[in-house]
């Protein structure tokens, strides 16, 4: 890891921003929280789903909530490498706020240094998933998070969000376009979505423009940690072990999202 990631992290600055952002995000999205008592008082690898394109309300709510509660273990978050580089280019304080460029070594070094880390294995295919697919958990065979947790010998903490995919309406993820244009190969961008957002309607791609998220009701559920005490660091190189743990994580997260989305009305939330 580049040393400045950890050296520049300003926990107090992150908490100050969280204190300003959290009440706004919670009120706007009428956020409900479940399972906060499941957050361990030890180093962990948080694993979440996130939708809603660049709004990513699941991510905003979780990171702001954790930072705002002033827990004893500081937390860092992995973000897409392109987003991290763009933020650095714009001189935004991503390192100071604990937003790491997403790669395994960054996460592993942070975990070993005593930080909790949150990752979103689904990447841009998660945030750009079509509206009809918003209640499905899919990490697209990204298993690096399991290997990191095994190597660092830390529990995996699943964080499930419901409602983010209703802040706008993705009509098509544009995965074929991303592959055809070389975005997938050269920039690790797997999608170039077509979506409808407020107030200007249809938009294509990830390039920023003025838009506002719809006030979709959000429910966030923190599940019980999955401890990996039966495995040693060498098991990170065992494909069967890694896949077995990945299936367990996906299963418990999907089961929870199925419960949260049942009898849900888009944007409004659960009606009973």
């Amino acid at each position: 890891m580049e040393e400045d990631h950890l050296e520049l992290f300003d926990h107090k600055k992150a908490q100050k921003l969280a204190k300003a952002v959290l009440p706004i995000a919670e009120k706007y999205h009428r956020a409900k929280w479940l399972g906060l008592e499941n957050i361990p008082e030890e180093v962990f690898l948080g694993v979440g789903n996130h939708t809603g394109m660049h709004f990513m309300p699941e991510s905003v709510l979780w990171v702001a909530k954790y930072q705002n509660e002033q827990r004893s273990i500081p937390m860092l978050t992995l973000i897409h490498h392109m987003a991290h580089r763009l933020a650095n280019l714009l001189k935004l304080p991503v390192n100071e706020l604990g937003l790491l460029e997403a790669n395994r070594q960054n996460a592993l070094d942070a975990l070993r240094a005593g930080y909790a880390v949150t990752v979103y294995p689904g990447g841009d295919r998660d945030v750009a998933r079509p509206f009809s697919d918003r209640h499905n958990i899919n990490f697209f065979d990204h298993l690096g998070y399991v290997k990191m947790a095994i190597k660092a010998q830390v529990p995996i903490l699943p964080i499930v969000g419901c409602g983010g995919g209703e802040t706008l309406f993705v009509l098509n993820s544009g995965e074929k376009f991303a592959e055809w244009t070389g975005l997938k190969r050269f920039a690790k961008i797997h999608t170039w979505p077509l979506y409808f957002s407020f107030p200007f309607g249809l938009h294509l791609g990830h390039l920023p423009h003025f838009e506002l998220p719809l006030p979709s009701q959000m429910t966030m559920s923190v599940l019980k940690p999955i401890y990996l005490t039966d495995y040693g660091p060498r098991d990170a190189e065992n494909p069967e072990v890694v896949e077995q743990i990945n299936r367990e994580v996906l299963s418990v997260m999907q089961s929870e999202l199925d419960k949260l989305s049942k009898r849900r009305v888009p944007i409004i939330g659960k009606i009973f």
Side-chain angles (χ1 to χ4, degrees):
M1 173 191 285
E2 297 176 12
E3 293 184 354
D4 65 355
H5 278 94
L6 295 183
E7 291 179 354
L8 291 177
F9 176 49
D10 188 332
H11 197 193
K12 290 184 178 179
K13 181 179 288 187
Q15 290 177 325
K16 185 177 181 180
L17 179 60
K19 187 175 182 179
V21 169
L22 182 62
I24 297 173
E26 285 187 318
K27 187 172 183 179
Y28 188 78
H29 289 293
R30 292 161 285 139
K32 297 179 181 179
W33 291 93
L34 303 171
L36 291 175
E37 69 277 5
N38 291 325
I39 301 175
E41 291 297 330
E42 62 181 299
V43 175
F44 63 85
L45 181 69
V47 178
N49 65 310
H50 60 168
T51 51
M53 293 293 293
H54 38 272
F55 298 135
M56 295 181 290
E58 296 96 341
S59 306
V60 172
L61 283 166
W62 163 245
V63 174
K65 187 71 169 180
Y66 188 92
Q67 302 289 18
N68 191 66
E69 294 200 341
Q70 301 187 22
R71 295 179 176 270
S72 59
I73 305 295
M75 186 180 75
L76 306 174
T77 304
L78 299 189
I79 65 174
H80 195 280
H81 75 283
M82 292 298 290
H84 190 273
R85 293 174 186 177
L86 178 60
N88 275 326
L89 185 64
L90 297 175
K91 305 298 182 181
L92 299 177
V94 284
N95 293 325
E96 290 88 337
L97 295 175
L99 303 176
L100 306 182
E101 182 176 351
N103 65 60
R104 296 180 192 178
Q105 195 60 49
N106 278 352
L108 189 58
D109 287 347
L111 291 169
R112 288 173 171 168
Y115 294 91
V117 175
T118 289
V119 300
Y120 294 93
D124 66 302
R125 280 180 283 187
D126 211 8
V127 298
R129 64 174 61 251
F131 181 81
S132 60
D133 197 32
R134 68 193 184 282
H135 293 149
N136 291 328
I137 302 289
N138 192 338
F139 293 158
F140 303 96
D141 296 322
H142 292 162
L143 305 178
Y145 77 97
V146 178
K147 296 178 181 180
M148 290 185 293
I150 295 175
K151 288 181 178 179
Q153 292 289 276
V154 300
I156 294 173
L157 183 70
I159 305 115
V160 178
C162 182
E166 297 162 9
T167 55
L168 45 69
F169 303 97
V170 177
L171 306 178
N172 189 294
S173 63
E175 291 188 43
K176 291 183 179 180
F177 179 85
E179 185 170 3
W180 177 71
T181 58
L183 287 170
K184 177 180 178 180
R185 179 179 179 183
F186 297 108
K188 295 183 180 179
I189 296 175
H190 298 81
T191 60
W192 200 252
L194 174 66
Y195 64 94
F196 185 95
S197 61
F198 179 81
F200 296 121
L202 289 175
H203 186 71
L204 180 65
H206 292 285
L207 297 178
H209 71 295
F210 177 77
E211 56 190 357
L212 295 171
L214 294 172
S216 173
Q217 187 277 324
M218 293 289 306
T219 301
M220 300 294 300
S221 182
V222 182
L223 307 183
K224 292 182 179 180
I226 297 174
Y227 287 91
L228 307 177
T229 51
D230 292 337
Y231 306 102
R234 290 185 178 181
D235 288 314
E237 306 307 322
N238 186 328
E240 292 183 1
V241 169
V242 172
E243 182 54 46
Q244 176 186 335
I245 296 171
N246 178 62
R247 285 197 301 267
E248 180 181 357
V249 174
L250 289 172
S251 178
V252 297
M253 292 182 70
Q254 186 63 66
S255 178
E256 182 68 6
L257 186 53
D258 289 343
K259 295 176 184 177
L260 298 179
S261 61
K262 190 175 182 179
R263 295 190 298 273
R264 178 182 173 89
V265 176
I267 302 175
I268 295 173
K270 280 184 178 288
I271 54 175
F272 60 89

